[in-house]
Amino acid sequence: MKKIAIVLFNLGGPDQPSAVRPFLYNLFYDPAIIGLSTPWRQILAVFIAWRRNKVAQAIYAKIGGKSPILENTQAQAKALEKTLKGNADKETRCFVSMRYWHPLDGEAVKQ
């Protein structure tokens, strides 16, 4: 039987109010977002995460206190897996990996 793994990647989002600040830090520490050298990018990421934390928490509070992106992506993975089932010679599993919050790529690889 042939085994196929599909990974759905997304940016991720905080899963609770206390995760907003570390999520923002991870986002703005990415060199693809801010192209400064490491010490300056880190300083800026800390500052932006600190500065935007309360505003972002208030925005997330309006939609239930967390980002819906993980649940939406997991639902897509389940729907895709269900659609691909039925082929007797292939076992297909779908996994979810987020770039800036959990589950991160290492967590998806362990699955």
Side-chain angles (χ1 to χ4, degrees):
M1 177 181 286
K2 188 175 189 178
K3 293 185 178 188
I4 298 171
I6 298 171
V7 181
L8 280 69
F9 293 97
N10 217 324
L11 295 178
D15 52 7
Q16 59 186 334
S18 64
V20 171
R21 192 169 178 175
F23 165 76
L24 289 171
Y25 172 81
N26 291 345
L27 175 68
F28 291 108
Y29 187 63
D30 185 344
I33 303 295
I34 296 178
L36 298 174
S37 62
T38 300
W40 298 112
R41 189 176 65 251
Q42 184 175 23
I43 291 166
L44 191 55
V46 167
F47 176 74
I48 293 170
W50 169 78
R51 182 91 162 111
R52 296 285 306 158
N53 183 43
K54 292 223 185 276
V55 171
Q57 280 191 22
I59 293 167
Y60 283 115
K62 291 179 182 179
I63 59 170
K66 63 180 183 172
S67 169
I69 202 163
L70 176 59
E71 290 157 351
N72 291 344
T73 308
Q74 288 171 329
Q76 290 172 337
K78 283 182 184 178
L80 180 58
E81 203 170 84
K82 183 179 177 183
T83 300
L84 296 173
K85 277 194 180 193
N87 191 332
D89 64 333
K90 293 179 186 171
E91 178 187 343
T92 305
R93 290 198 50 208
C94 295
F95 302 91
V96 172
S97 176
M98 299 291 169
R99 183 162 181 152
Y100 302 118
W101 202 243
H102 305 282
L104 298 167
D105 55 356
E107 296 167 64
V109 168
K110 285 179 186 176
Q111 289 182 358

